[in-house]
């Protein structure tokens, strides 16, 4: 940012937001809401029209049934909803299981709630998905664990838990009835092959699951700050109480846009964007395969990130790699150590093909230059 402010041109694969505009129906609804003067407070949990639309969408696509009157809370982005889910369930003396690699906000949110994050490392060869064996071992060795945060698809890895893998996790949780689950499913519309079910839809998991989703990723509504959490009544009620003292309602205009997103934008329109993202993913993977000593054990199957292993460079110091890359080539990427994955870097391909082409050219040149420096 400092380089850009100084007038330098920096290529960036850092930002996790789509490069396309929201669907036209969303833009039209936004204008209509402004023109109609739809600028007043709504209920803390959001307009009933939006909560109805969310409930219908979850039932249609995910097979889960929530009461829109009291089991859905609309917030200012999914991030707020995740944090409120943590606050509603955890406090001093509690622990929260966070699989790594993780979104950096997860452990920090846990600490803000005075709880303790328990980081569980996952393996690149398994797509960075937590295994039932590791889950059971961690729960047995940390009986204070009260909550699991499960990001599906994953930021930063793009890994996806399919139904069979979610069922295996649920089978373990049957033996730990007091452990709750916060399922962050903000990327669930961006899956390239196979399914991405809601964890709440898995047998026996509805009553203990808080499902977080939103409009930023699939609908490119990042700046509108609109997300939601769907949860059984006791959990939704606690989250509502917290939000009532923090921010009250989400923006009324954003909520009107959210209704249009769920009721007027077709699955076909969204799928077209998914196919574009898939093409970008495939391009990045192909370019990475041409760079010596850069490894992607399993191609990401969701979201819009790749987390390649670059530990062969800079003695595995990913932060130093990113810093030197920025200095030498004016290319900004994110060190994997920020996500609990040292020796890797996160590349976001949610940008234009022109930007991607320039970025991959710079990365390839930089790493090839490092190979030439080797004795």
């Amino acid at each position: 940012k400092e380089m850009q402010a100084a007038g330098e041109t920096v290529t960036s694969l850092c930002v996790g937001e789509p490069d396309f505009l929201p669907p036209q129906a969303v833009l039209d609804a936004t204008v209509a809401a402004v023109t109609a003067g739809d600028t007043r407070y709504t209920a803390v949990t959001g307009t009933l029209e939006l909560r109805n639309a969310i409930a219908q969408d979850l039932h249609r696509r995910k097979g889960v049934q929530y009461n829109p009157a009291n089991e859905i809370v609309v917030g200012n982005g999914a991030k707020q909803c995740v944090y409120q889910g943590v606050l509603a369930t955890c406090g001093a003396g509690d622990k929260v299981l966070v699989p790594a690699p993780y979104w950096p906000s997860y452990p920090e949110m846990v600490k803000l709630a005075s709880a303790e994050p328990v980081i569980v490392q996952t393996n690149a060869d398994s797509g960075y998905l937590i295994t039932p064996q590791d889950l059971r071992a961690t729960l047995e060795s940390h009986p204070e664990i009260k909550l699991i945060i499960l990001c599906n698809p994953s930021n930063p890895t793009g890994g996806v838990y399919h139904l069979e893998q979610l069922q295996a996790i649920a089978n373990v949780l049957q033996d730990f009835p007091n452990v709750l689950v916060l399922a962050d499913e903000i990327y669930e519309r961006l899956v390239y092959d196979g399914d991405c079910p809601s964890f709440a839809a898995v047998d026996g998991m509805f009553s203990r699951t808080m499902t977080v989703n939103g409009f930023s990723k699939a609908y490119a509504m990042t700046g509108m700050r609109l997300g939601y959490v769907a949860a059984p009544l006791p959990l939704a009620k606690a989250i509502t109480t917290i939000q009532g003292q923090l921010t009250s309602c989400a923006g009324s205009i954003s909520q009107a846009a959210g209704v249009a997103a769920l009721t007027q934008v077709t699955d076909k329109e969204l799928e077209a964007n998914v196919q574009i993202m898939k093409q970008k993913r495939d391009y990045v993977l192909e370019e990475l395969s041409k760079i010596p000593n850069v490894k992607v054990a399993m191609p990401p199957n969701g979201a819009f990130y790749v987390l390649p292993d670059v530990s062969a460079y800079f003695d595995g110091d990913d932060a130093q790699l990113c810093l030197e890359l920025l200095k030498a080539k004016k290319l900004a990427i994110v060190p994997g150590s920020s996500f609990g994955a040292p020796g890797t870097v996160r590349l976001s391909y949610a940008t234009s093909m022109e930007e991607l082409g320039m970025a991959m050219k710079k990365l390839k040149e930089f790493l090839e230059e490092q190979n030439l420096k080797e004795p």
Side-chain angles (χ1 to χ4, degrees):
K1 293 295 184 182
E2 291 178 3
M3 294 172 71
Q4 289 174 329
E8 298 185 60
T9 300
V10 178
T11 306
S12 176
L13 298 184
C14 294
V15 180
E17 64 178 344
D19 65 317
F20 48 82
L21 286 172
Q24 190 61 47
V26 171
L27 299 177
D28 292 344
T30 303
V31 173
V34 173
T35 303
D38 188 6
T39 57
R40 304 295 184 183
Y41 291 128
T42 73
V44 168
T45 54
T47 65
L48 183 57
E49 185 180 12
L50 179 53
R51 284 179 280 131
N52 277 328
I54 292 168
Q56 291 165 10
D57 181 64
L58 288 172
H59 185 250
R60 177 180 72 88
R61 295 191 304 110
K62 300 296 184 179
V64 285
Q65 187 74 58
Y66 292 96
N67 185 343
N70 52 26
E71 292 185 325
I72 294 173
V73 182
V74 176
N76 296 275
K79 189 171 191 175
Q80 177 181 6
C81 297
V82 171
Y83 183 37
Q84 290 175 169
V86 174
L87 285 174
T89 55
C90 301
D94 295 326
K95 294 182 178 180
V96 178
L97 190 157
V98 181
Y102 48 73
W103 185 40
S105 292
Y106 291 151
E108 298 307 315
M109 289 174 175
V110 171
K111 294 173 187 176
L112 285 171
S114 299
E116 178 186 342
V118 176
I119 308 300
V120 179
Q121 293 297 328
T122 59
N123 190 288
D125 293 330
S126 65
Y128 291 113
L129 305 179
I130 191 170
T131 66
Q133 296 80 6
D134 288 343
L135 175 60
R136 182 177 293 278
T138 305
L139 292 176
E140 288 177 345
S141 60
H142 296 274
E144 307 90 345
I145 289 177
K146 196 171 182 181
L147 178 69
I148 298 171
I149 299 180
L150 192 67
C151 186
N152 188 35
S154 167
N155 174 10
T157 72
V160 177
Y161 295 88
H162 299 301
L163 180 58
E164 183 178 347
Q165 293 152 323
L166 294 178
Q167 287 174 330
I169 291 173
N171 289 341
V172 173
L173 291 178
Q174 296 287 7
D175 296 332
F176 300 89
N178 295 323
V179 177
L180 301 171
V181 177
L182 195 156
D184 184 349
E185 299 176 356
I186 187 67
Y187 293 97
E188 55 89 18
R189 279 280 199 174
L190 296 166
V191 174
Y192 306 120
D193 296 294
D195 60 346
C196 183
S198 174
F199 191 71
V202 178
D203 287 348
M205 293 298 106
F206 182 88
S207 63
R208 63 164 78 186
T209 301
M210 297 172 283
T211 300
V212 173
N213 208 327
F215 299 81
S216 292
K217 310 303 181 179
Y219 297 96
M221 294 166 59
T222 49
M224 292 187 173
R225 309 310 307 132
L226 192 67
Y228 65 84
V229 56
L233 180 58
L235 293 170
K237 186 175 181 180
I239 291 168
T240 300
T241 299
I242 292 169
Q243 182 163 307
Q245 302 308 318
L246 290 179
T247 61
S248 295
C249 63
S252 57
I253 294 169
S254 295
Q255 292 189 58
V259 172
L262 293 177
T263 61
Q264 298 180 38
V265 179
T266 65
D267 292 342
K268 183 178 180 180
E269 187 173 351
L270 293 177
E271 181 59 28
N273 290 333
V274 173
Q275 292 306 312
I276 292 171
M277 285 292 187
K278 185 177 182 180
Q279 292 172 9
K280 293 177 180 179
R281 178 204 66 170
D282 293 346
Y283 170 75
V284 170
L285 291 174
E286 181 181 358
E287 293 303 304
L288 288 173
S289 71
K290 300 174 183 176
I291 305 176
N293 302 315
V294 172
K295 295 178 287 185
V296 179
M298 185 175 290
N301 192 34
F304 36 64
Y305 308 108
V306 183
L307 194 75
D309 182 335
V310 293
S311 58
Y313 296 91
F314 292 91
D315 295 321
D317 188 339
D318 51 284
Q320 187 65 30
L321 185 156
C322 291
L323 181 61
E324 296 300 329
L325 175 62
L326 182 62
K327 290 178 182 177
K329 299 294 183 180
K330 295 184 175 59
L331 171 60
I333 58 178
V334 188
S337 52
S338 302
F339 305 92
T344 69
V345 292
R346 192 193 76 169
L347 312 177
S348 169
Y349 50 86
T351 187
S352 68
M353 282 302 300
E354 181 182 6
E355 188 90 345
L356 271 181
M358 178 62 69
M360 298 311 296
K361 180 176 182 290
K362 289 181 175 182
L363 180 61
K364 187 171 185 288
E365 288 176 351
F366 176 74
L367 294 181
E368 286 178 344
E369 289 167 7
Q370 305 313 306
N371 284 326
L372 292 175
K373 293 178 182 179
E374 292 293 324

